[in-house]
Amino acid sequence: MPDQPPASSVPPLAASLPAPAPELFTWEFATDPYPAYAWLREHAPVHRAKLPSGVEAWLVTRYADARQALADQRLSKNPAHHDEPAHAKGKTGIPGERKAELMTHLLNIDPPDHTRLRRLVSKAFTPRRVAEFAPRVQELTDRLIDGFAERGSADLIHEFAFPLPIYAICDLLGVPAEDQDDFRDWAGMMIRHGGGPRGGVARSVKKMRGYLAELIHRKREEPGDDLISGLIKASDHGEHLTENEAAAMAFILLFAGFETTVNLIGNGVYALLRNPEQRSRLQESIAAGERGLLETGVEELLRYDGPVELATWRFATQALTIGGQEIPAGDPVLVVLAAADRDPARFGEPDTLDLARRDNQHLGYGHGIHYCLGAPLARLEGQTALATLLTRLPDLRLGADPAELRWRGGLIMRGLRTLPVEFSASHK
């Protein structure tokens, strides 16, 4: 099980606490982190922990504190504000992005540069643009299901949840069809090594950087109706987008836009298979031609066991207080979305999956100026994937004991390594 996160010791809490803090980032924790997060919410809602990488960071676990931290301008996204010791060098971001000169993307910068770059790329994710992309997402979904429907079994991660967002984001970026399998290989390396050696990810990042530089040159000579051409056009019209910024933007849209959707689909299907009453309600609603339960259902799946466990890194630019805890300047802060979205102070029966949940202001897409730019596309892909799977494979069921399933290692994302399923073979 090489992809599982290594065990990590956690500094002891004050002696006044009723029990020692639960062990974090072990294999057992990765399988079901929610009891440990419940303990932290109650006893140490802003908790300094030693991460598997050796870096120490503050974990924010209550909903109100998390929402405040996500929008707090004193918490910078720029790693330059990290008062990092020597052993933490280069361990707080995506492996290899510094060497590959891919740091100037939306997850690493603050206003005014963040405002400028977000304005440029937001045009690709307008509701109109995403709606126009819906037939392509449906086509990709059906094509992938066609690939295994006649077999009666599949690994839904590798055969469906993984390739769907890769091909979709490649289409949006303007990666030619003949090159998309290379992107799939590089992205697969990122997923396989997410919790293990950083070298594998760094090599993939380097290859992707070289390809993007070449693609940007090609798009400058022969632009198309795609996102990379749009970024180049904007930079040629005085928006001051450097080639490094264009490459970094394309890189982070791919990086952030595929694994989140892989996990949304994988975690979502798994949750539905573990909650048959909710799954049956959703199937009946879809069969009746209704979309309401599908729309609220995807939001609930994001809240219940979402694809992003911890929000990406933030660094205190000055001393501040979160949830009564003083945070020194230069310290890293990690908002635990998985803990905040199960806070009983905000959500009724938070450990229960309720696809019809209405008051569901989950933090799965973040909050504030860094709210996920690709949320409309992720919703489209999630809704299309679930509706099509449940319609075409109505007796979908787990093909393995839940105890045998393993979750990928890694700090930020939460997703299954595999999801074996079985169903009646279909010849449609």
Side-chain angles (χ1 to χ4, degrees):
M1 295 182 290
D3 288 359
Q4 295 296 334
S8 172
S9 59
V10 177
L13 297 178
S16 59
L17 290 175
E23 198 171 6
L24 307 179
F25 313 119
T26 63
W27 294 12
E28 294 79 10
F29 170 84
T31 299
D32 182 11
Y34 296 104
Y37 288 149
W39 192 97
L40 289 176
R41 272 196 314 266
E42 182 175 355
H43 301 294
V46 182
H47 175 61
R48 188 175 176 87
K50 188 173 185 178
L51 309 179
S53 64
V55 177
E56 293 189 3
W58 295 95
L59 304 181
V60 180
T61 55
R62 288 180 179 169
Y63 182 91
D65 297 336
R67 192 173 166 90
Q68 172 208 325
L70 290 171
D72 196 320
Q73 295 183 1
R74 296 170 296 177
L75 292 176
S76 170
K77 298 291 290 174
N78 190 339
H81 291 290
H82 184 195
D83 186 17
E84 58 183 352
H87 73 271
K89 277 289 183 196
K91 293 183 177 179
T92 59
I94 299 168
E97 64 178 357
R98 292 192 190 195
K99 285 187 178 179
E101 297 184 312
L102 290 170
M103 292 288 288
T104 52
H105 56 68
L106 291 174
L107 297 186
N108 283 342
I109 57 174
D110 304 315
D113 284 335
H114 177 272
T115 309
R116 173 176 60 91
L117 292 180
R118 189 179 176 100
R119 183 177 66 248
L120 286 175
V121 78
S122 63
K123 297 166 188 173
F125 295 102
T126 62
R128 180 186 63 81
R129 186 82 179 261
V130 171
E132 290 173 351
F133 199 54
R136 177 58 175 156
V137 173
Q138 185 65 63
E139 177 189 339
L140 288 169
T141 301
D142 282 319
R143 189 181 81 195
L144 291 168
I145 295 176
D146 287 343
F148 55 77
E150 296 184 13
R151 280 210 321 264
S153 65
D155 173 4
L156 273 192
I157 300 298
H158 292 283
E159 296 182 73
F160 184 69
F162 172 65
L164 175 60
I166 280 288
Y167 292 138
I169 200 72
C170 280
D171 280 355
L172 272 180
L173 288 172
V175 177
E178 62 269 21
D179 296 340
Q180 292 188 6
D181 283 339
D182 287 336
F183 264 77
R184 181 175 174 168
D185 290 343
W186 297 328
M189 180 68 74
M190 292 177 183
I191 279 192
R192 285 193 298 275
H193 292 278
R198 293 168 69 86
V201 181
R203 283 193 296 274
S204 292
V205 168
K206 185 177 180 180
K207 289 178 181 177
M208 202 175 287
R209 174 65 174 92
Y211 176 83
L212 287 171
E214 180 186 326
L215 184 61
I216 287 169
H217 284 301
R218 280 156 53 190
K219 293 288 184 182
R220 180 163 272 125
E221 294 175 5
E222 296 182 36
D225 184 25
D226 56 72
L227 183 50
I228 290 180
S229 296
L231 291 173
I232 293 168
K233 184 178 179 182
S235 62
D236 289 344
H237 284 76
E239 285 280 5
H240 310 299
L241 190 71
T242 68
E243 185 172 295
N244 274 353
E245 286 176 333
M249 285 297 303
F251 165 72
I252 201 59
L253 288 170
L254 178 80
F255 191 89
F258 88 88
E259 191 173 0
T260 50
T261 308
V262 175
N263 296 345
L264 167 58
I265 296 170
N267 298 6
V269 171
Y270 182 60
L272 290 174
L273 296 180
R274 300 294 304 278
N275 292 268
E277 290 184 9
Q278 292 290 308
R279 174 257 190 91
S280 294
R281 287 182 60 195
L282 181 56
Q283 279 182 298
E284 291 168 6
S285 173
I286 293 169
E290 301 166 355
R291 289 197 60 85
L293 192 62
L294 179 63
E295 292 172 357
T296 59
V298 166
E299 300 308 306
E300 173 68 349
L301 291 168
L302 280 158
R303 182 202 69 81
Y304 178 76
D305 197 10
V308 183
E309 191 166 339
L310 286 78
T312 49
W313 294 85
R314 285 166 167 76
F315 307 94
T317 59
Q318 61 188 75
L320 72 155
T321 301
I322 303 174
Q325 174 66 54
E326 293 184 10
I327 309 289
D331 273 14
V333 174
L334 290 166
V335 177
V336 187
L337 305 179
D341 280 342
R342 290 213 188 183
D343 189 342
R346 177 61 185 83
F347 301 98
E349 298 186 44
D351 295 323
T352 298
L353 181 69
D354 177 9
L355 299 182
R357 191 183 294 270
R358 291 289 177 183
D359 181 18
N360 192 1
Q361 295 182 27
H362 64 78
L363 299 175
Y365 290 124
H367 173 64
I369 64 169
H370 290 282
Y371 182 84
C372 176
L373 197 61
L377 179 61
R379 286 190 172 104
L380 169 65
E381 292 175 337
Q383 291 172 16
T384 304
L386 291 177
T388 309
L389 278 173
L390 294 177
T391 299
R392 292 191 56 181
L393 310 174
D395 63 345
L396 191 70
R397 56 194 178 275
L398 272 176
D401 186 320
E404 297 174 359
L405 298 180
R406 294 291 177 262
W407 296 80
R408 286 194 303 276
L411 189 66
I412 302 299
M413 302 291 185
R414 173 166 172 77
L416 287 161
R417 289 173 59 187
T418 61
L419 182 55
V421 294
E422 297 172 350
F423 45 85
S424 296
S426 165
H427 299 282
K428 292 181 181 179

